[in-house]
Amino acid sequence: MATDFDAYERDLWAGRASAYERGFARLTRHTAGPLLDAAGVTGGTRLLEVGVGSGVVAAEAVRRGAHVTALDADPEMAATARRNIPGLDVHVAVLPETPFPDASFDAVVGNFVINHVGDPHTALKELRRVLRPTGRLALTCWEMPGSGALGLVREALDAAGVPWPDDLPTPPFMEYGRAEPFRALVAGAGFADAAVDPVTWHHTVDPEEWWELGALARVGANGVVVGRQTPETVARVKAEYDRLARRYATPDGGIALPAHALLAHATR
């Protein structure tokens, strides 16, 4: 059943597929290989990817020889994945709803999508339903509270004295953004051998590009908050962003932002 948070998410991401593909998709592609490895995806694997986005994980799975079915809640994201991977079987649906029979897949993966659903527990039970017996699940999420790549714009907002709006809902997944709560969530949905591994890397990017795609493009809640401000306030936030970004400066003028994620894996 859809929740108010699900409705908020649909509005949040509407029209953002292009900006996501140029920005955050490049950040999250780092976990594509580890995610598929954890799910045991090889040639012939019947794979479902939930939250396909621009298709980075699905493309790697196709390269491995898997038979990939994909799902995304946003029609524009689904269209982007179809464009990037011709012939990809993509469905539009909002978790926890999926249009598949029981035991349809050998593996299910989701790259930074479980933190975007209104009812994570019910969503996980649905993913378990569509897995065959002994099938593998692998999901990534951001470690909470967000820092580095995920938290730079939020830090700049705080430093500039911009209050967080009362009308933006707290993601239901927020309480699970640590290793043990995430593991317990997966196990509580009925999965066996649930485990969570930390995944860390550095995302090297031009700071102006990250400001444009992480703040001005209204991708994610931080971008929504920046987009509500007056030009004068945006300029103040940008000044704080520039100051904070210097902590991550690289010799070539870029920034190397630390990224901290969690990879949960389990069996049906």
Side-chain angles (χ1 to χ4, degrees), residues 65-151:
H67 304 296
V68 183
T69 300
L71 180 153
D72 204 283
D74 182 71
E76 188 179 356
M77 291 284 193
T80 300
R82 290 191 192 99
R83 183 197 72 218
N84 290 335
I85 311 170
L88 183 67
D89 179 20
V90 186
H91 302 253
V92 177
V94 178
L95 290 174
E97 304 297 328
T98 73
F100 310 114
D102 294 355
S104 294
F105 302 100
D106 302 315
V108 174
V109 299
N111 203 28
F112 302 100
V113 66
I114 191 64
N115 44 292
H116 289 287
V117 303
D119 187 346
H121 177 75
T122 302
L124 282 165
K125 290 178 68 176
E126 175 67 2
L127 299 184
R128 185 173 183 272
R129 181 188 67 78
V130 300
L131 270 174
R132 66 166 175 78
T134 72
R136 298 285 301 171
L137 171 81
L139 301 170
T140 50
C141 75
W142 294 113
E143 190 174 70
M144 292 289 133
S147 60
L150 197 65

Side-chain angles (χ1 to χ4, degrees), residues 27 148-150 152 201-205 210 241 245 248 255-259:
L27 167 65
L150 197 65
L152 180 56
W201 69 101
H202 283 83
H203 179 58
T204 302
V205 66
W210 195 246
Y241 169 89
Y248 308 113
I255 51 176
L257 298 172

Side-chain angles (χ1 to χ4, degrees), residues 3-267:
T3 68
D4 290 342
F5 181 78
D6 291 317
Y8 159 77
E9 281 280 317
R10 302 289 64 73
D11 182 63
L12 176 68
W13 289 101
R16 303 288 179 264
S18 177
Y20 174 80
E21 182 178 16
R22 292 180 289 123
F24 271 87
R26 295 178 182 176
L27 167 65
T28 59
R29 72 184 306 127
H30 179 89
T31 52
L35 186 76
L36 294 172
D37 289 345
V41 176
T42 59
T45 300
R46 295 173 299 161
L47 173 69
L48 171 65
E49 183 190 3
V50 294
V52 67
S54 57
V56 171
V57 174
E60 171 59 19
V62 169
R63 188 194 68 77
R64 294 184 180 202
H67 304 296
V68 183
T69 300
L71 180 153
D72 204 283
D74 182 71
E76 188 179 356
M77 291 284 193
T80 300
R82 290 191 192 99
R83 183 197 72 218
N84 290 335
I85 311 170
L88 183 67
D89 179 20
V90 186
H91 302 253
V92 177
V94 178
L95 290 174
E97 304 297 328
T98 73
F100 310 114
D102 294 355
S104 294
F105 302 100
D106 302 315
V108 174
V109 299
N111 203 28
F112 302 100
V113 66
I114 191 64
N115 44 292
H116 289 287
V117 303
D119 187 346
H121 177 75
T122 302
L124 282 165
K125 290 178 68 176
E126 175 67 2
L127 299 184
R128 185 173 183 272
R129 181 188 67 78
V130 300
L131 270 174
R132 66 166 175 78
T134 72
R136 298 285 301 171
L137 171 81
L139 301 170
T140 50
C141 75
W142 294 113
E143 190 174 70
M144 292 289 133
S147 60
L150 197 65
L152 180 56
V153 175
R154 177 64 183 268
E155 287 184 71
L157 285 162
D158 291 342
V162 177
W164 196 255
D166 291 335
D167 63 313
L168 293 190
T170 299
F173 190 82
M174 185 68 72
E175 63 183 290
Y176 303 112
R178 293 288 181 180
E180 177 51 29
F182 194 14
R183 188 208 63 78
L185 175 69
V186 173
F191 287 93
D193 305 317
V196 174
D197 303 321
V199 184
T200 61
W201 69 101
H202 283 83
H203 179 58
T204 302
V205 66
D206 179 271
E208 294 302 315
E209 178 181 300
W210 195 246
W211 171 255
E212 176 191 348
L213 296 174
L216 300 186
R218 293 175 62 88
V219 173
N222 292 330
V224 169
V225 177
V226 173
R228 291 182 177 184
Q229 308 309 310
T230 65
E232 293 77 16
T233 300
V234 172
R236 194 168 75 249
V237 176
K238 177 58 161 59
E240 294 293 346
Y241 169 89
D242 290 339
R243 178 181 65 82
L244 293 165
R246 284 196 287 271
R247 296 175 297 179
Y248 308 113
T250 60
D252 62 358
I255 51 176
L257 298 172
H260 305 281
L262 300 171
L263 170 58
H265 47 92
T267 56

